[in-house]
């Protein structure tokens, strides 16, 4: 009998171990939740108009690939976990500059917990700023209307921004649950899941372009 490929056999062996199987299933369940969130649009968005603009703009299509289709829908997960990644980088750069932060990093688990909390706090304003930049970009591309911080556009814009920031923080929370109860680094898996989710559409578009 022909032996199975090593990768297939390794997966079969993993499912025979209850602890590892539970972690794999938990990670898969979190990714399903992530993909569901990626299709929940922010308030007041015409998803059909968005789709039409993305079909015509290759740059927006490339940006959409890294969001796993969330940007095309302008979902609450349109920014992914990237504001959190930016916040983490900023905190790492500030450690040697601010003595209080450097001292916290040497206090063991309690210090790392505080630094992680500060990183989460910094993520919120960064998500709002990045969200506004994304809305302005889509507005200039003609994908959405009514973006502004004054007049009748103020409240709809604030609603969209807070929805997108909340979506980012929810994805960060999902990633941390994977890290604690699943397999691997949760934030990295969320990013990878978003990219992989966009690959089939990119392949189909590439084939369609090649045949025209």
């Amino acid at each position: 009998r022909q032996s199975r490929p090593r990768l297939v056999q390794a997966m079969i062996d993993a499912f025979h171990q209850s602890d590892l199987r539970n972690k794999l299933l938990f990670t898969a369940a979190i990714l399903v939740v992530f993909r569901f969130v990626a299709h929940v649009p922010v308030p007041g968005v015409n998803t059909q108009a968005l789709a039409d603009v993305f079909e015509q703009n290759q740059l927006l299509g490339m940006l959409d690939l890294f969001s796993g289709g969330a940007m095309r829908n302008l979902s609450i997960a349109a920014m992914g976990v990237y504001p959190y990644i930016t916040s983490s980088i900023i905190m790492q750069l500030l450690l040697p500059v601010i003595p209080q932060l450097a001292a916290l990093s040497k206090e063991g688990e309690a210090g790392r917990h505080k630094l992680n909390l500060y990183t989460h706090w910094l993520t919120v304003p960064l998500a709002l700023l990045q969200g506004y930049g994304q809305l302005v970009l889509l507005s200039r591309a003609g994908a959405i209307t009514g973006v502004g911080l004054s007049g009748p556009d103020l409240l709809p814009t604030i609603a969209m921004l807070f929805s997108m920031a909340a979506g980012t923080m929810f994805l960060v929370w999902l990633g941390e649950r994977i890290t604690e109860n699943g397999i691997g680094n949760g934030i990295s898996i969320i990013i990878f899941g978003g990219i992989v989710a966009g690959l089939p559409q990119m392949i189909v578009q590439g084939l369609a372009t090649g045949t025209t």
Side-chain angles (χ1 to χ4, degrees), residues 3 30 43 46 53-55 59 76 86 90 103 112 139 180 192 204 207:
S3 60
I30 292 294
N46 186 333
V53 171
F54 272 88
E55 290 294 337
L59 174 60
I76 59 175
T86 304
I90 292 175
R112 286 193 295 271
S139 177
E180 292 179 5
F192 178 73
V204 171
L207 292 175

Coordinates of all heavy atoms in Angstrom, one line a residue, residues 3 30 43 46 53-55 59 76 86 90 103 112 139 180 192 204 207:
S3 N 2.3 4.7 0.8 CA 2.3 5.4 2.1 C 1.8 6.8 1.8 O 1.9 7.4 0.7 CB 3.7 5.5 2.7 OG 4.6 6.2 1.7
I30 N -12.3 30.2 15.3 CA -12.1 31.6 15.4 C -11.9 32.2 14.0 O -12.4 33.4 13.7 CB -10.8 31.9 16.2 CG1 -11.0 31.5 17.7 CG2 -10.3 33.4 16.1 CD1 -12.0 32.4 18.4
P43 N -21.9 51.1 8.9 CA -23.2 51.8 8.6 C -23.2 52.7 7.4 O -22.2 53.4 7.2 CB -23.5 52.5 9.9 CG -22.7 51.9 10.9 CD -21.4 51.4 10.2
N46 N -23.0 51.7 0.5 CA -23.5 51.0 -0.6 C -22.5 50.0 -1.1 O -21.6 50.3 -1.8 CB -23.9 52.0 -1.7 CG -24.6 51.4 -2.9 OD1 -24.5 50.2 -3.2 ND2 -25.4 52.2 -3.6
V53 N -16.4 50.0 -8.0 CA -15.2 50.8 -8.1 C -14.0 49.9 -7.9 O -13.0 50.1 -8.6 CB -15.2 51.8 -6.9 CG1 -13.9 52.5 -6.8 CG2 -16.3 52.9 -7.2
F54 N -14.0 48.9 -7.1 CA -12.9 48.0 -6.9 C -12.6 47.2 -8.1 O -11.5 46.8 -8.4 CB -13.2 47.0 -5.7 CG -12.8 47.6 -4.4 CD1 -13.6 48.4 -3.6 CD2 -11.5 47.4 -3.9 CE1 -13.2 48.9 -2.4 CE2 -11.1 47.9 -2.7 CZ -11.9 48.7 -1.9
E55 N -13.7 46.9 -8.9 CA -13.5 46.1 -10.2 C -12.7 47.0 -11.2 O -11.9 46.4 -12.0 CB -14.8 45.8 -10.8 CG -15.6 44.7 -10.0 CD -14.9 43.3 -10.1 OE1 -14.1 43.1 -11.0 OE2 -15.1 42.5 -9.2
L59 N -5.3 49.3 -7.9 CA -4.6 49.6 -6.7 C -5.5 49.3 -5.5 O -5.1 48.6 -4.5 CB -4.3 51.1 -6.6 CG -3.7 51.6 -5.3 CD1 -2.4 50.9 -4.9 CD2 -3.5 53.1 -5.3
I76 N -16.5 46.1 9.0 CA -15.9 46.6 10.3 C -14.5 46.1 10.5 O -13.8 46.5 11.4 CB -16.8 46.3 11.5 CG1 -17.0 44.7 11.6 CG2 -18.2 47.0 11.3 CD1 -17.8 44.3 12.8
T86 N 1.0 48.4 14.1 CA 1.7 49.7 14.1 C 1.9 50.1 15.6 O 3.0 50.7 15.9 CB 0.8 50.8 13.4 OG1 0.6 50.3 12.1 CG2 1.5 52.1 13.4
I90 N 5.5 51.0 17.5 CA 5.7 52.2 18.1 C 6.2 52.0 19.6 O 7.1 52.6 20.1 CB 4.5 53.1 18.1 CG1 4.2 53.6 16.7 CG2 4.6 54.4 19.0 CD1 2.9 54.4 16.5
A103 N 11.7 50.3 32.2 CA 11.6 49.7 33.5 C 10.5 48.7 33.6 O 10.7 47.6 34.2 CB 11.4 50.8 34.6
R112 N 5.1 43.2 31.4 CA 4.6 42.9 30.1 C 3.1 43.1 29.9 O 2.7 43.5 28.9 CB 5.1 41.5 29.7 CG 6.6 41.3 29.4 CD 6.9 40.0 28.8 NE 6.5 38.9 29.7 CZ 7.4 38.3 30.5 NH1 8.6 38.9 30.6 NH2 7.1 37.3 31.3
S139 N -13.2 57.6 -0.7 CA -14.1 58.7 -1.1 C -13.5 59.4 -2.4 O -14.3 59.7 -3.3 CB -14.2 59.7 0.0 OG -15.0 60.9 -0.4
E180 N -3.8 32.1 23.1 CA -4.0 31.5 24.4 C -4.5 30.0 24.3 O -4.1 29.2 25.1 CB -5.0 32.3 25.3 CG -4.4 33.6 25.7 CD -5.4 34.4 26.5 OE1 -6.5 33.9 26.9 OE2 -5.1 35.6 26.9
F192 N -2.7 36.1 8.2 CA -2.5 35.0 7.2 C -3.9 34.6 6.7 O -4.1 34.4 5.5 CB -1.8 33.8 7.8 CG -1.6 32.7 6.9 CD1 -0.7 32.7 5.8 CD2 -2.3 31.5 7.0 CE1 -0.5 31.7 4.9 CE2 -2.2 30.5 6.2 CZ -1.3 30.5 5.1
V204 N -8.7 33.9 -9.8 CA -9.8 34.0 -10.8 C -9.7 35.2 -11.7 O -9.8 35.2 -12.9 CB -11.2 33.9 -10.1 CG1 -12.3 34.2 -11.1 CG2 -11.4 32.6 -9.4
L207 N -6.8 34.8 -14.1 CA -7.1 33.9 -15.2 C -8.1 34.6 -16.2 O -7.9 34.5 -17.4 CB -7.8 32.7 -14.7 CG -6.9 31.7 -13.9 CD1 -7.7 30.6 -13.3 CD2 -5.8 31.2 -14.8

